[in-house]
Amino acid sequence: MDFTARFLDWLAGLPAGWLYLAAAAVLATEVGLLAGLVMPAASTMLTVGFLAYAGRLDLTTALVVLTAAALVGDHVGYLEGRLVGPRLRRGWLGRRVGDRRWDRAEALVAARGGRAVLLGRWVAFVRTLVPRVAAVAGVPYRRFALFNAAGVLVWVPGTVLAGYLAGASYSRLTGLAGVAGAVLAGGAGLAGVAMWWRRRRARAAASRGGPCAGPVRPRRSPLRSRSWRGRPARNRRPHPAGRARHREPADR
């Protein structure tokens, strides 16, 4: 079991109040801290939505708490980029992030400007780096706040509601599992029995040397499989009619 699965199991076992706080901490630290690259924010929001459908959490409270936490984390990341600047990438933790991820975030900000904050919200790892890169690139705070709010207000509720709808679909599927499972299991069982019986008859027929189940195409002899057309031209005997047809006329 990997880190994400163990974390989600631990999260689902918490009381409601602590679960809100733990989920909010995940969303805030994913962008607020550079080390938050490893935080499973999307999986956490899906789990929260699923638990809200199950009645463990209040859906409205979860949406408000997680949206606020994501906004706080993004602004902390932007502030860190303003204060530290390019030294973030040259630091020990920045080097651990990898040049490829930094280059991807910088290219997105260079090409899109403030809109990169909105677009980067949907890409893992990039949403952690884009607020810092935008601050270093000189994107104005108001522009950053506008696009960031637009992205968060779509990303967080959309992901939580996806988990909520997944819980609803899961409950419907489990309700139909009895009938559907019986039908599928019965069909699979019949198909397995039919295949076993056909193979058993084929093995029995082969052992007796008699006919087996199903039509069998006769094997052609290797001596008869060669057509007369494959013989050399000198061995062919022309047909008498053909010989007469190609005979040259006699001289008159």
Side-chain angles (χ1 to χ4, degrees), residues 29 76 110 140 228:
T29 56
V76 171
W228 65 271

Side-chain angles (χ1 to χ4, degrees), residues 53-133:
Y53 177 81
R56 293 276 312 279
L57 301 174
D58 180 69
L59 181 60
T60 303
T61 304
L63 291 174
V64 172
V65 170
L66 297 186
T67 301
L71 288 171
V72 169
D74 294 345
H75 286 274
V76 171
Y78 182 88
L79 181 62
E80 184 182 11
R82 276 289 181 89
L83 295 177
V84 181
R87 290 178 296 171
L88 273 173
R89 180 168 181 171
R90 297 195 299 266
W92 177 81
L93 192 56
R95 294 196 304 270
R96 298 283 294 179
V97 171
D99 292 336
R100 183 177 60 85
R101 293 169 179 166
W102 281 108
D103 293 341
R104 188 176 182 182
E106 290 175 354
L108 183 62
V109 173
R112 301 292 182 177
R115 289 177 296 174
V117 180
L118 174 61
L119 299 175
R121 170 60 57 184
W122 306 92
V123 184
F125 303 113
V126 173
R127 58 175 166 262
T128 302
L129 302 178
V130 161
R132 295 166 172 82
V133 174

Side-chain angles (χ1 to χ4, degrees), residues 96-213:
R96 298 283 294 179
V97 171
D99 292 336
R100 183 177 60 85
R101 293 169 179 166
W102 281 108
D103 293 341
R104 188 176 182 182
E106 290 175 354
L108 183 62
V109 173
R112 301 292 182 177
R115 289 177 296 174
V117 180
L118 174 61
L119 299 175
R121 170 60 57 184
W122 306 92
V123 184
F125 303 113
V126 173
R127 58 175 166 262
T128 302
L129 302 178
V130 161
R132 295 166 172 82
V133 174
V136 174
V139 175
Y141 176 76
R142 290 184 179 180
R143 187 172 179 83
F144 165 80
L146 175 64
F147 283 105
N148 183 67
V152 170
L153 290 175
V154 175
W155 181 62
V156 174
T159 309
V160 174
L161 291 176
Y164 187 89
L165 295 176
S169 301
Y170 177 79
S171 65
R172 293 193 183 98
L173 290 176
T174 53
L176 297 175
V179 178
V183 172
L184 293 176
L190 290 176
V193 170
M195 292 179 62
W196 170 81
W197 179 251
R198 185 174 182 179
R199 291 177 181 175
R200 184 175 181 273
R201 289 187 61 189
R203 288 196 300 266
S207 63
R208 293 193 306 266
C212 61

